[in-house]
Amino acid sequence: MIPFNIPCYIGEEDTAIRDAIEKKKLSGNGTYGEKCIQWLEEKMHVQKAMLTPSCTAALEMAALLTEVGEGDEVIMPSYTFVSTANAFALRGAKIVFVDVEPETMNVDPEQIAAAITEKTKVVVVVHYAGVSCDMDSIMELAEKHRLWVVEDAAQGLMSFYKGKALGTIGHLGTISFHETKNYVCGEGGALYINDPSFVERAEMIQEKGTDRSQFIRGEVDKYSWRDIGSSYLLSELNAAYLSVQLEHAKEINENRLGTWEMYQEGLAHLADAGEIELPFIPENRAFNGHIFFIKTRNLEVRGQLIQYLKQRDIVTATHYVPLHSSVAGKQCGVFSGEDRYTTIESERLVRLPLYYGISKGDVEYVIQSIQQFYAQ
């Protein structure tokens, strides 16, 4: 069986976790947490990074920091994971879903522009498959209309837009270290703060609404409840695992990109023949090989292909069911404009096995199996 994903494991994580245990500091912001934060801030040129229990938690912090609430509107693509919308719906905001660009499955800036009203407060962009959205156009819109931009870069660590790391372009950015991502710690995430005005409050929100961070730095003689917040800290055990992954980030990235390129080259003739569509990477966007997907002609063919590959012991995956078509999506939001691409394109998309260490032989077997399906 060729699985769809195996969580990344380098081989040194056990040692780091044992060391964290021996240090007898297991809660957040310990030695390993600080090590990960330093790596993110230095390597990704982040003004301020904070480790969180998940990317979902980082998005919830972003919703609190942008102070969305009843009467506010938050624009985002419908083609995304539920956490993107949940974080803002929890604060009472109305979610305004918009269409994607079919080539990248990223949010269409023109649809964002058309959806902006006097109630719009935040735009959330999702960098699908680790490929950047058109951030120049989106930031221009945000500046013109005085909107906050939150980058959901859950899939985007080690991806760049015109040389800038994803998550560092908007006012706030979020990263995931879930076991399905390129760099993992089981469950984990990070919040990037690119606007200094958010830093002090973000520290309080992360520490249950207290000024504990200031107390630790010796800036106050005791800490107390100052704001709303929650427990948004990543434990040292998770951070220890993650620190090893970050140390080997270049190696992991090159390995995944090698697999991605094998798929791209091996399936190119089927794309040339019009049987499938392959991922499109626009100029000035360095990506991290997070996902390799193909698009079949329609939903029926996708189902047949998935079943054929399953019979050959290959596990594939579809992806998001558009949020505007879900029960909660209809309750918490509306779709602005025409659903020209979101639904129909999502029904054609299938993701192929891609993980650190997958063998060339397995990748070749997947490619051959897809070729055989279309040769029937």
Side-chain angles (χ1 to χ4, degrees), residues 12 50 240 306 316:
E12 302 167 17
M50 308 177 80
I306 290 172
T316 58

Side-chain angles (χ1 to χ4, degrees), residues 72-76 84-86 88-89 93-97 329 332-335:
D72 293 326
E73 295 179 354
V74 178
I75 298 172
M76 66 182 64
T84 316
N86 255 333
F88 296 89
K94 177 182 178 181
I95 311 301
V96 179
F97 300 112
C332 299
V334 296
F335 194 96

Side-chain angles (χ1 to χ4, degrees), residues 219-277:
E219 296 169 4
V220 295
D221 59 1
K222 59 181 179 296
Y223 69 90
S224 61
W225 188 15
R226 299 283 302 278
D227 201 343
I228 57 173
S230 190
S231 183
Y232 289 128
L233 291 164
L234 183 70
S235 86
E236 272 293 279
L237 297 179
N238 295 74
Y241 193 107
L242 177 62
S243 69
V244 175
Q245 304 261 305
L246 297 182
E247 287 175 355
H248 292 268
K250 183 178 180 181
E251 171 192 337
I252 295 168
N253 196 52
E254 290 175 350
N255 183 272
R256 294 188 69 106
L257 286 172
T259 299
W260 194 98
E261 289 164 1
M262 279 188 67
Y263 279 133
Q264 186 82 348
E265 293 172 7
L267 298 171
H269 69 287
L270 288 176
D272 293 340
E275 296 287 359
I276 62 174
E277 290 181 22

Side-chain angles (χ1 to χ4, degrees), residues 77 79-80 84 104-107 124-136 138-139 149-157 159-161 164-170 172-175 181 192 194 285-288 290-291 319-320:
Y79 190 69
T80 184
T84 316
T104 62
M105 301 302 288
N106 282 333
V107 65
V124 186
V125 301
V126 180
H127 302 296
Y128 184 69
V131 178
S132 177
C133 299
D134 179 358
M135 290 305 296
D136 281 352
I138 291 165
M139 295 308 293
V149 174
V150 176
E151 292 179 75
D152 183 340
Q155 304 167 358
L157 186 61
S159 289
F160 299 84
Y161 175 78
K164 294 183 178 180
L166 300 193
T168 69
I169 305 164
L172 297 164
T174 63
I175 301 289
K181 302 304 186 289
Y192 291 175
N194 310 314
R285 305 181 202 190
F287 69 109
N288 62 2
H290 176 58
I291 292 172
H319 217 175
Y320 312 124

